[in-house]
Amino acid sequence: MVQTNEAGEPILYREREGAIFIARMNRPERLNALGGGLPEALTEAWFEFKDDPSLKVMILTGVGDRAFCAGADLRRNNERAQELGAASAQALLDADRSARITPSIMSNNFHLYKPVIAALNGWTLAGGCEMAMGCDIRIIEAHAQIGLPEVKRGMGAKSTTHKLSFLTYLASGLELDWTGDPITAEHAVRLGLASEVVPTGTSLERAKELARQICDHPASYLTYHKERMFQSIGVPLATALATEQRYPPEEGEEYRAGLEAALASPVYTAGR
């Protein structure tokens, strides 16, 4: 059953363009906040992309020009707390979190080694920021701002500490967490929270352009490089190099085909 938003439209648009899988969060009336069935729909899309070998690159974005995702749906959470009582609502939330590990771009990727691109088309806050940091490449529009305002609500940004430590500078990451103030698109690029700034309304097209370029390469190489880079984080250089040697990419048929094509190309043979 397709979950819908308040306008009766699909809460998450899932589209395919060749080997590109596009997921567009569709709760613009709530700044694409994570509620109303959207987290569950994102999980379904996550598995659809992960388990389909014909899909190479995923693009995640939001509908509209106001927000990529503003994080948790605090209005709905408050309504739920009033219905149940704050203590009961928190107890249910804690029990749910302790009972299972949820597959999520925001908090873990369960060995998702395919490329994921975030097209940040507006406010990217709290859980939305965490989701963006879980992607591999972030394209941010000029008007967008990104940040972690949880501290202003007496809450912690629970899925960010390990990501901020290698996406940004240590001091900058702490400042983002401690102040809760969003930063501009240009500042986000300087810190490493985004890859590039594009004009308003063009992040999805730029993400598609980049995805098409990536799709030109063998799927095995895309997953190989992402997996090796993730495995190298936080380990000594010697260990990382040894891991690289254990899984050489030069042993597959795709490598042989690419090598033969390169050897026959005019660029390689010129002057030799």
Side-chain angles (χ1 to χ4, degrees):
M1 180 178 179
V2 177
Q3 294 169 305
T4 59
N5 61 15
E6 295 179 6
E9 301 168 338
I11 202 166
L12 182 73
Y13 288 115
R14 290 185 271 186
E15 304 159 2
R16 294 178 178 226
E17 294 187 11
I20 303 171
F21 182 67
I22 304 167
R24 295 189 294 138
M25 296 174 282
N26 188 29
R27 298 189 77 209
E29 72 283 354
R30 296 287 184 98
L31 297 180
N32 296 319
L34 295 168
L38 181 56
E40 292 78 11
L42 283 168
T43 296
E44 291 177 4
W46 185 95
F47 275 113
E48 181 179 348
F49 173 64
K50 176 179 179 292
D51 296 336
D52 190 334
S54 70
L55 295 173
K56 288 186 174 182
V57 181
M58 179 177 181
I59 297 174
L60 181 62
T61 191
V63 170
D65 59 2
R66 297 174 62 203
F68 169 76
C69 175
D73 190 339
L74 298 181
R75 186 186 307 173
R76 178 54 188 154
N77 290 353
N78 181 60
E79 292 171 354
R80 184 66 170 164
Q82 290 181 2
E83 292 171 3
L84 299 175
S88 297
Q90 185 62 47
L92 286 174
L93 179 62
D94 292 342
D96 182 61
R97 286 174 174 167
S98 63
R100 60 192 175 94
I101 299 175
T102 304
S104 167
I105 291 174
M106 186 177 1
S107 57
N108 60 74
N109 64 26
F110 282 133
H111 306 292
L112 175 60
Y113 293 120
K114 295 180 180 182
V116 182
I117 303 173
L120 308 181
N121 56 303
W123 289 105
T124 304
L125 302 174
C129 179
E130 295 170 353
M131 191 188 312
M133 287 194 292
C135 300
D136 304 304
I137 300 172
R138 290 161 295 282
I139 310 297
I140 188 168
E141 297 186 9
H143 73 294
Q145 294 193 42
I146 184 169
L148 299 162
E150 285 90 339
V151 68
K152 295 184 178 182
R153 304 193 295 263
M155 302 168 63
K158 294 175 285 298
S159 298
T160 64
T161 50
H162 60 296
K163 298 172 187 173
L164 280 172
S165 65
F166 61 83
L167 287 179
T168 71
Y169 306 104
L170 177 60
S172 298
L174 288 171
E175 182 178 351
L176 284 170
D177 267 333
W178 286 342
T179 66
D181 293 334
I183 60 176
T184 64
E186 292 79 5
H187 194 182
V189 170
R190 288 196 297 269
L191 293 184
L193 282 180
S195 305
E196 63 177 292
V197 181
V198 296
T200 297
T202 66
S203 63
L204 180 55
E205 286 308 312
R206 173 56 183 150
K208 289 182 181 180
E209 178 184 357
L210 189 57
R212 286 191 290 267
Q213 181 181 352
I214 294 173
C215 284
D216 285 339
H217 308 306
S220 60
Y221 271 60
L222 302 180
T223 57
Y224 169 85
H225 288 294
K226 182 174 179 179
E227 186 173 5
R228 296 292 86 74
M229 290 186 71
F230 274 44
Q231 289 177 339
S232 70
I233 295 173
V235 303
L237 177 60
T239 302
L241 292 175
T243 301
E244 186 87 8
Q245 294 302 312
R246 288 181 58 196
Y247 304 96
E250 297 86 358
E251 295 180 352
E253 294 181 3
E254 291 172 328
Y255 171 78
R256 173 54 56 182
L259 177 60
E260 291 176 354
L263 292 174
S265 70
V267 174
Y268 185 83
T269 58
R272 288 180 173 79

